[in-house]
Amino acid sequence: MVSKRHSVFSLNDLGQLDYFLGIEVKNRDNGSMSHSQGKYIRDLLTKTNMLESKPLSSPMEVGLKLSKNGFDTLYDQPMYRSVVGALLYITITRPSICFIVNKVCRFMAIIAWWAKKQPDISCSSTETEYRSLALATSELLWIQSLLQEFGIS
């Protein structure tokens, strides 16, 4: 099978996989593999100057309320987004942090929403409802035309 692939594609044998896309791969004697993101996490802790911090049994302070107040002055927003993205990637091997990562993702979205200027200001709730209805109608028409292209009426 390998020789067949070599006849079709130009391949180089790089040996056993050790590290790929931030995931360490360890091959065991019995043929099984284990995956870890330990190096990726250590690199993230180094990047955020948290390598010397002590581990906690819970990834989040109980009852923590995230607030927009002081966000602009206390945080480097591009760095915050980068760290949140890295944390999302870490949930591949650490599902126990999914809840808190989801919470900081929502916080990041709220900050972006607060920072974004609204292009239109509705004068009444009726106007707002009309805009929402118009948007929903255009989306439904698009979905309907897409379904018709697939032969679904």
Side-chain angles (χ1 to χ4, degrees):
M1 179 125 164
V2 173
S3 62
K4 191 174 185 180
R5 280 184 274 172
H6 278 284
S7 67
V8 177
F9 301 103
S10 174
L11 301 173
N12 293 328
D13 185 0
L14 302 175
Q16 285 194 339
L17 180 63
D18 290 328
Y19 189 80
F20 184 69
L21 295 176
I23 299 175
E24 295 170 281
V25 179
K26 292 196 176 23
N27 295 298
R28 301 222 165 106
D29 293 335
N30 64 2
S32 67
M33 298 167 66
S34 67
H35 303 89
S36 168
Q37 289 182 298
K39 181 182 179 324
Y40 186 82
I41 293 168
R42 282 187 302 279
D43 291 346
L44 179 61
L45 289 171
T46 301
K47 176 181 174 182
T48 57
N49 297 320
M50 295 183 69
L51 190 58
E52 300 301 321
S53 59
K54 295 180 182 178
L56 296 173
S57 59
S58 172
M60 182 178 84
E61 181 182 318
V62 177
L64 178 68
K65 300 279 188 217
L66 298 175
S67 168
K68 151 185 132 89
N69 296 336
F71 183 78
D72 294 331
T73 58
L74 293 177
Y75 297 100
D76 176 5
Q77 290 186 32
M79 173 65 109
Y80 183 83
R81 286 191 295 270
S82 172
V83 169
V84 170
L87 289 171
L88 275 170
Y89 190 63
I90 291 170
T91 62
I92 293 171
T93 57
R94 309 267 174 132
S96 61
I97 66 169
C98 283
F99 175 77
I100 184 58
V101 172
N102 180 280
K103 189 168 183 116
V104 295
C105 284
R106 285 184 290 155
F107 177 67
M108 186 172 61
I110 289 168
I111 292 296
W113 179 78
W114 274 323
K116 185 174 148 185
K117 293 180 181 175
Q118 291 183 337
D120 300 317
I121 298 173
S122 297
C123 296
S124 69
S125 62
T126 305
E127 185 179 354
T128 303
E129 291 168 10
Y130 175 76
R131 287 175 190 261
S132 299
L133 185 60
L135 179 63
T137 303
S138 69
E139 293 290 327
L140 285 172
L141 289 172
W142 178 81
I143 290 171
Q144 183 180 26
S145 69
L146 182 65
L147 290 172
Q148 286 175 347
E149 285 183 30
F150 289 124
I152 301 170
S153 60

